[in-house]
Amino acid sequence: MQAVQKNIGAIYIHIPFCEHICYYCNFNKVFIQGQPVDDYLTALLKEIKLALQQYPQTKIKTIYIGGGTPTALSAAQLDYLLSGLQELVPVDQVEEFTVEANPNDLLKGDKLQVLKAHFVNRLSIGVQSFNDDVLKKIGRTHSGVEAVKAVENAQHAGFNNISIDLIYRLPGQDLVDFGHSLKQALALEIPHYATYSLILEQKTVFYNLMRRGKLKLPSQDMEADMYQLAMDEFAKHGVEQYEISNFAKPGFQSQHNLTYWHNENYFGFGAGASGYLGNQRYQNFGPIKQYLAPLSQQQLPILASENITRQQQIEEQLFLGLRLNAGVSKEVFLKRFGVDLLTVYPEVIPKLLQQNLLAENTDAYYLTERGRFVGNDVFAEFMLV
């Protein structure tokens, strides 16, 4: 008998507005100019209230406001959103409250003061690179110097739990350049870093350039070298890898993202957001007008929902859990699904162990370093046909 998750400890809130659209981004977002931002924020708070009324005993442990660009909101709009949220959720008791930010938006102190006043205790800053030429090529509007200044401003405002994003395999980037960005990132002495390889997503500027043969990117070998360099440099500085793309000093792992990787339930609020409640995954309407319409009638803005079968849940437990260096817990899997991992995968697991793509200890199965380089190939092996 499969246990149904009763605790929904995480909230994701989507702000779909941006001052500028980056060339690689395919998240649900729109230019902020001319948008009904105030109406959206009012509707967003209404959605949160309607949903939480259905789960009155829920104790929220983490909140993550992402986008888009949450800090594209004005200081007054941020204050309105966070004040409203504070009336619905005891944010002062939340363990981790993250807001994504662009460096440009942290060059003045007004928004940092608003975030701090409303119990936000973690910032995720989209730096991507410290090389100005590379930043221009990917459509970012800040400079490397401004990225450093943004982090310093956040530190001076009292934020000690800061993460920055770095992307590698970018146009015009080589191993030396990425090494410089890593060095500058580590010099900031913040506790968390996320570093990703560029993914070419449909409906992006980069994808269209690639289709026309006009996008020159580093080779796959160079991409692997960049990833290895990141793992080596972070390890040298005591920043431990805990997930394929994430590195943290002890005690600073992203608790919200661990909810996803542990395949646990969470609320998703806002246009285009998705959530996972019980055994059901749902997605909200993406376009702003379609999102606002049902909420004007006191109805949740859900576009579609689906029941996640036991087989799908098992697969997701492997895909997501194996992203973590700690791997997939044998005990948790047994408790959740009532069957041993090796019983479900009697051929796949021994094969991957033999190929040195997977390793095990008494508690878990986890990717080897070699396995991390071909993670998607390993995950595909766990598809239950």
Side-chain angles (χ1 to χ4, degrees):
M1 181 71 180
Q2 180 186 341
V4 176
Q5 294 183 44
K6 295 180 180 178
N7 296 323
I8 310 163
I11 287 177
Y12 173 78
I13 298 172
H14 191 71
I15 304 299
F17 307 114
C18 290
E19 291 280 0
H20 183 79
I21 305 298
C22 301
Y23 301 159
Y24 53 84
C25 179
N26 78 329
F27 294 136
N28 187 50
K29 78 284 182 189
V30 293
F31 286 112
I32 194 168
Q33 288 79 10
Q35 294 294 330
V37 179
D38 293 343
D39 291 344
Y40 178 83
L41 297 178
T42 300
L44 180 58
L45 291 170
K46 186 183 293 185
E47 181 196 2
I48 296 170
K49 182 178 181 179
L50 287 172
L52 292 181
Q53 284 174 345
Q54 299 178 12
Y55 297 86
Q57 302 302 315
T58 299
K59 185 179 186 303
I60 301 302
K61 294 182 179 179
T62 69
I63 300 172
Y64 192 107
I65 303 182
T69 311
T71 53
L73 301 176
S74 68
Q77 289 166 336
L78 273 174
D79 183 66
Y80 174 80
L81 171 64
L82 296 175
S83 297
L85 184 62
Q86 197 168 335
E87 293 176 7
L88 303 172
V89 180
V91 293
D92 58 323
Q93 299 171 32
V94 168
E95 295 173 15
E96 182 188 89
F97 188 173
T98 304
V99 173
E100 289 182 349
N102 266 358
N104 315 60
D105 300 320
L106 305 182
L107 298 179
K108 296 178 182 178
D110 54 345
K111 295 179 185 181
L112 284 166
Q113 290 172 8
V114 170
L115 297 173
K116 194 70 179 171
H118 290 291
F119 302 99
V120 174
N121 57 21
R122 184 174 184 271
L123 295 178
S124 177
I125 304 175
V127 172
Q128 319 312 1
S129 173
F130 290 92
N131 181 319
D132 291 354
D133 289 337
V134 170
L135 286 167
K136 287 176 185 175
K137 286 178 181 176
I138 65 176
R140 300 295 280 172
T141 56
H142 66 271
S143 68
V145 169
E146 287 171 333
V148 172
K149 182 64 174 173
V151 172
E152 291 174 346
N153 285 354
Q155 291 170 326
H156 292 153
F159 289 95
N160 67 342
N161 193 353
I162 297 172
S163 176
I164 64 170
D165 290 351
L166 294 175
I167 302 180
Y168 57 92
R169 192 185 164 233
L170 294 172
Q173 194 178 51
D174 58 24
L175 191 62
V176 172
D177 170 71
F178 182 58
H180 286 319
S181 278
L182 285 171
K183 184 176 180 180
Q184 288 179 275
L186 285 160
L188 295 170
E189 296 187 342
I190 56 174
H192 191 283
Y193 301 86
T195 184
Y196 307 91
S197 172
L198 175 69
I199 298 173
L200 294 174
E201 303 278 11
Q202 292 188 25
K203 299 180 181 179
T204 63
V205 172
F206 275 175
Y207 185 82
N208 291 333
L209 287 172
M210 181 271 293
R211 291 285 302 270
R212 288 155 48 197
K214 293 187 175 181
L215 185 67
K216 187 177 180 182
L217 298 175
S219 67
Q220 286 187 327
D221 286 345
M222 178 69 72
E223 176 186 3
D225 289 343
M226 290 174 173
Y227 184 43
Q228 185 68 59
L229 182 64
M231 290 192 289
D232 292 346
E233 287 300 308
F234 286 127
K236 272 188 216 172
H237 289 79
V239 185
E240 300 171 0
Q241 184 176 25
Y242 70 98
E243 190 269 346
I244 283 180
S245 302
N246 284 267
F247 304 78
K249 292 180 181 177
F252 287 92
Q253 298 178 345
S254 170
Q255 297 306 305
H256 183 84
N257 286 339
L258 283 169
T259 298
Y260 303 144
W261 297 320
H262 287 150
N263 200 24
E264 296 170 349
N265 283 178
Y266 57 92
F267 293 101
F269 299 127
S274 61
Y276 184 31
L277 304 177
N279 297 327
Q280 195 166 73
R281 183 170 287 114
Y282 67 89
Q283 182 165 15
N284 283 346
F285 286 101
I288 306 295
K289 285 185 179 179
Q290 291 183 32
Y291 170 79
L292 295 176
L295 285 163
S296 68
Q297 305 297 318
Q298 304 297 314
Q299 295 177 355
L300 290 171
I302 295 174
L303 168 65
S305 61
E306 63 170 328
N307 287 316
I308 307 301
T309 66
R310 183 174 183 276
Q311 176 177 320
Q312 287 173 310
Q313 290 179 56
I314 287 174
E315 291 173 351
E316 290 176 4
Q317 194 83 0
L318 272 295
F319 300 164
L320 295 167
L322 284 175
R323 292 188 63 88
L324 294 166
N325 281 32
V328 177
S329 165
K330 299 174 185 179
E331 181 182 350
V332 170
F333 188 92
L334 178 62
K335 187 176 180 181
R336 182 168 182 182
F337 298 106
V339 64
D340 185 81
L341 251 170
L342 200 55
T343 302
V344 180
Y345 295 102
E347 296 176 3
V348 171
I349 289 176
K351 181 179 76 172
L352 293 172
L353 288 169
Q354 186 178 14
Q355 293 174 342
N356 192 32
L357 298 173
L358 204 65
E360 73 170 312
N361 54 35
T362 54
D363 300 321
Y365 293 100
Y366 57 94
L367 290 181
T368 62
E369 184 168 307
R370 180 169 175 247
R372 283 179 224 143
F373 283 92
V374 290
N376 288 336
D377 294 332
V378 176
F379 302 155
E381 293 282 344
F382 288 97
M383 293 290 289
L384 291 167
V385 179

